[in-house]
Amino acid sequence: MSILGFPSALRTGALPLPPDLAFLLGHGVDPATLVRAADRARTWGTDGASTLLALGAVTEETYYRALAAELGASFLAGPIPLGPGARYPESVVAGVAPLGPGAPAAYVLAPRGAAIAELLHGRSPTGRMPALTTPRTLREAVFSANPAGIAACAADSLQVHRPDWALKARPMGPTLAIGGLIAGLVVVAVVELPPALVLGLWTLAQGVLLAMVALRVAAISVEANGPATGPMSDAALPIYTVFVALHREAAVVPRLVAALSALDYPAAKLDIKFVIEAHDAGTLAALEAATLPPGAEIVVVPPGLPRTKPRALNCALPLARGSCLVVYDAEDVPDPGQLRAAARIFARSDPGTACLQGRLVIDNQRDGPLPKCFALEYAALFDVLVPALAAWNVPIPLGGTSTHFRTPILRAVHGWDAWNVTEDADLGLRLARAGYRVGDLPSSTFEEAPARPGAWLHQRARWMKGFIQTSFTHGRQPARTARELGALGTLAAAALVPGTVLCALAYPFFMGHAAYRFLFAGVEPAAGFWSNLPNGTAMTVFVSGLLAMVLPAALGCVRRGWWDLLPYVPLMPAYFLLVSLGAWLGLIELVLAPDRWNKTEHGLSRSSRSGALNRT
């Protein structure tokens, strides 16, 4: 049925129904539903079809079947026999792919947005009437046609395009063995060196440690930003892609779906992708049984190596429709207004702001002393240190979740390094080397921390292993990296990535020795400035190191209003002994299993301070 001359009662205000809705009048769709969708589409600044599907008024298959019937085209619902010209990701992004011999048309089309209106006006992108299918069916067909090629692209794209930025999939054991041998020779040589030179080297090492802890202590002087202010109309908001990579996460799927369904954002502008591994039948079943939020789809990553989160994200990156993109973890419960806040900050920031780091909050603090200390560590990092680093415009090792990107920039730096098990830290340095900056997003995302020491150590070992991998990657050409980061950026990057690992490895030895000397054995002053310098530097490192552990944690508690956690701040020096153990385990694992991803189990929390983790 044509919309020409249709009664004015079915017009919205002074405007007729848009073409991508109006044709449905002849296919049994309730006119009032179409009027509501048209009204909402104008409010949101979106096309009618996307709005209708986002509202759940009709299913995707129902809509595209009706569109095919209106155009007199064949509708393909089952497995699609694609021709040899089908390509990833071009065919999925363009929504068109060639069909194989014997198909009812030369091409199959899965149009979105303005392309639907063009088809209704008789304009086909191929010049001939194609067969039609849904975007989901076309994507699944393209993935099925070349799973090995897609897996290889996701794993090695960075190495192909920017090998100088890539970790590269090569054994690191020999490199570490050589490094260990050299270090051993240096130790032997130092023993035979003149005492004055040994004294100088020891003092230099202490000075480097002092510079690293000074960064954390200085962060307490920076005032954290408040939430972004000023409304942004729905029509002005960009399309926002949400990535959630899941692996064996069936237990938390109900809570995750509830959290994403609660996001305060126009449904037609949400592009939510649950990214799972091909073998993960349990998570797939949980997602298929859930009522997914509007705009959500499940992307199944083809089998391949490495089996890591960054490879999964790389597989989905070419499919992102939003100009902004956020990555969440399966256990995350973001603040419902977080996407709006990020969109406002991006709109008011210079184009060089490539990423915003949200504030991660451990929410199951009452599960035991370990989650309490983890919560203090995160409060120090995300409520104190990250805002300071953003204010200083220095490199920020990203948190891996609640990281919001400008999608074109993320693609320009070739996504994530699939072989780096702490891909977030690596990406933060890569963005800085490419000339971009990371901003602070004062919006909370609640997370679940491991409550058992074994699970916590496995997670921390992976983080530390990834920090070492990142240090190797960006330390291959130190002069070039320093030139790209600048003096302050180089100091910050060195302190936050290799410095974090080195401090963790050395912590029990340096701090234990200093504590024994200053608290029990005593320090006798020597004659002359240079003779006293090592002891003076050691004392300064000892005191400042303690301050660096407790002051940011205490300030983070104050900013969060966690007065009940303040008594646990003095435990942080003991907690960092566990961090040191995690660093040593990460170093060992780097030799034995460099690309192994230690999975952290979620859905085990017994408490939730905010109530967010209780959502099901």
Side-chain angles (χ1 to χ4, degrees):
M1 179 187 299
S2 170
I3 66 170
L4 296 178
F6 202 81
S8 60
L10 292 181
R11 297 170 180 262
T12 56
L15 299 174
L17 292 173
D20 55 355
L21 294 178
F23 80 92
L24 292 170
L25 291 169
H27 297 276
V29 179
D30 178 24
T33 298
L34 300 178
V35 170
R36 286 195 298 271
D39 281 337
R40 190 64 61 86
R42 283 200 298 276
T43 301
W44 287 348
T46 54
D47 61 277
S50 297
T51 304
L52 184 69
L53 294 173
L55 294 175
V58 299
T59 65
E60 188 179 62
E61 183 170 339
T62 298
Y63 182 89
Y64 283 91
R65 278 188 181 277
L67 180 61
E70 179 73 11
L71 296 170
S74 299
F75 179 78
L76 304 181
I80 300 177
L82 297 180
R87 300 180 61 188
Y88 165 86
E90 291 83 359
S91 295
V92 179
V93 174
V96 60
L99 291 171
Y107 291 86
V108 62
L109 191 63
R112 295 181 187 266
I116 295 176
E118 292 180 357
L119 269 180
L120 289 166
H121 286 130
R123 294 193 294 270
S124 167
T126 65
R128 293 172 287 177
M129 181 53 64
L132 262 65
T133 191
T134 66
R136 173 182 175 178
T137 304
L138 178 60
R139 172 178 54 79
E140 291 175 346
V142 172
F143 270 58
S144 298
N146 186 21
I150 294 173
C153 179
D156 300 324
S157 178
L158 178 62
Q159 182 175 335
V160 168
H161 293 96
R162 287 299 303 264
D164 56 318
W165 282 354
L167 175 65
K168 298 183 181 178
R170 64 184 182 189
M172 302 183 71
T175 301
L176 291 173
I178 294 171
L181 177 62
I182 294 173
L185 293 175
V186 170
V187 171
V188 173
V190 166
V191 173
E192 301 299 326
L193 288 176
L197 185 55
V198 173
L199 185 66
L201 291 174
W202 183 254
T203 304
L204 177 62
Q206 291 174 326
V208 171
L209 289 175
L210 182 60
M212 293 176 180
V213 298
L215 191 70
R216 294 180 62 90
V217 175
I220 66 175
S221 66
V222 178
E223 185 175 352
N225 295 326
T229 58
M232 193 172 181
S233 69
D234 288 350
L237 290 171
I239 295 177
Y240 223 112
T241 294
V242 178
F243 278 177
V244 187
L246 304 98
H247 185 218
R248 302 202 314 265
E249 296 286 10
V252 297
V253 163
R255 187 176 75 204
L256 171 65
V257 170
L260 296 184
S261 299
L263 289 173
D264 176 22
Y265 209 80
K269 290 186 170 182
L270 278 177
D271 171 36
I272 301 175
K273 288 179 168 51
F274 298 98
V275 188
I276 67 172
E277 297 287 344
H279 67 277
D280 194 358
T283 303
L284 177 61
L287 287 170
E288 290 178 336
T291 302
L292 300 183
E297 61 180 331
I298 302 169
V299 177
V300 180
V301 178
L305 294 176
R307 192 176 293 171
T308 60
K309 172 184 172 183
R311 185 183 79 99
L313 294 176
N314 282 341
C315 188
L317 180 57
L319 311 179
R321 295 188 292 110
S323 59
C324 296
L325 182 153
V326 61
V327 177
Y328 290 126
D329 282 343
E331 75 275 19
D332 286 352
V333 181
D335 181 271
Q338 187 171 115
L339 301 191
R340 284 184 180 269
R344 286 197 299 269
I345 294 177
F346 273 135
R348 296 168 187 176
S349 300
D350 64 88
T353 301
C355 176
L356 301 174
Q357 175 62 64
R359 303 200 179 160
L360 306 184
V361 183
I362 298 301
D363 201 43
N364 61 323
Q365 306 158 7
R366 297 188 178 95
D367 282 3
L370 194 55
K372 284 183 172 64
C373 289
F374 204 156
L376 292 171
E377 182 186 16
Y378 263 28
L381 176 59
F382 291 102
D383 290 321
V384 179
L385 184 59
V386 167
L389 296 174
W392 295 332
N393 192 21
V394 297
I396 299 178
L398 300 176
T401 179
S402 288
T403 44
H404 297 250
F405 300 94
R406 296 188 197 267
T407 310
I409 294 178
L410 183 57
R411 286 176 174 148
V413 297
H414 309 290
W416 296 267
D417 191 334
W419 297 92
N420 191 314
V421 298
T422 312
E423 78 294 337
D424 40 8
D426 169 75
L427 182 54
L429 292 193
R430 226 177 331 126
L431 288 171
R433 290 185 63 183
Y436 298 107
R437 66 181 300 270
V438 175
D440 171 46
L441 175 60
S443 176
S444 298
T445 296
F446 297 101
E447 284 204 319
E448 174 187 353
R452 294 180 291 106
W456 186 94
L457 281 171
H458 272 83
Q459 182 187 69
R460 191 55 58 110
R462 173 171 62 82
W463 292 357
M464 290 295 184
K465 179 172 68 174
F467 270 42
I468 300 172
Q469 291 174 329
T470 300
S471 301
F472 284 170
T473 299
H474 298 282
R476 286 197 207 105
Q477 299 174 302
R480 178 178 177 181
T481 300
R483 188 168 57 252
E484 292 170 344
L485 295 179
L488 182 59
T490 300
L491 176 63
L496 295 169
V497 183
T500 294
V501 180
L502 291 173
C503 284
L505 293 173
Y507 171 72
F509 307 103
F510 273 85
M511 296 298 281
H513 175 74
Y516 172 77
R517 289 289 306 275
F518 301 140
L519 300 180
F520 301 104
V523 179
E524 294 295 330
F529 173 80
W530 294 108
S531 299
N532 283 302
L533 182 60
N535 284 337
T537 308
M539 184 175 298
T540 305
V541 170
F542 178 66
V543 174
S544 61
L546 290 176
L547 293 177
M549 284 184 277
V550 300
L551 288 183
L555 180 57
C557 279
V558 171
R559 289 178 175 175
R560 284 273 161 197
W562 291 347
W563 308 109
D564 56 316
L565 282 190
L566 279 175
Y568 293 90
V569 170
L571 294 179
M572 294 309 289
Y575 172 77
F576 276 97
L577 288 174
L578 280 178
V579 174
S580 178
L581 179 57
W584 282 103
L585 290 175
L587 183 62
I588 295 170
E589 191 175 287
L590 184 65
V591 178
L592 302 179
D595 61 339
R596 184 171 68 198
W597 186 281
N598 294 333
K599 176 73 177 69
T600 303
E601 298 297 330
H602 300 117
L604 305 176
S605 61
R606 302 186 305 273
S607 68
S608 177
R609 185 186 190 104
S610 69
L613 299 188
N614 294 329
R615 297 182 184 180
T616 57

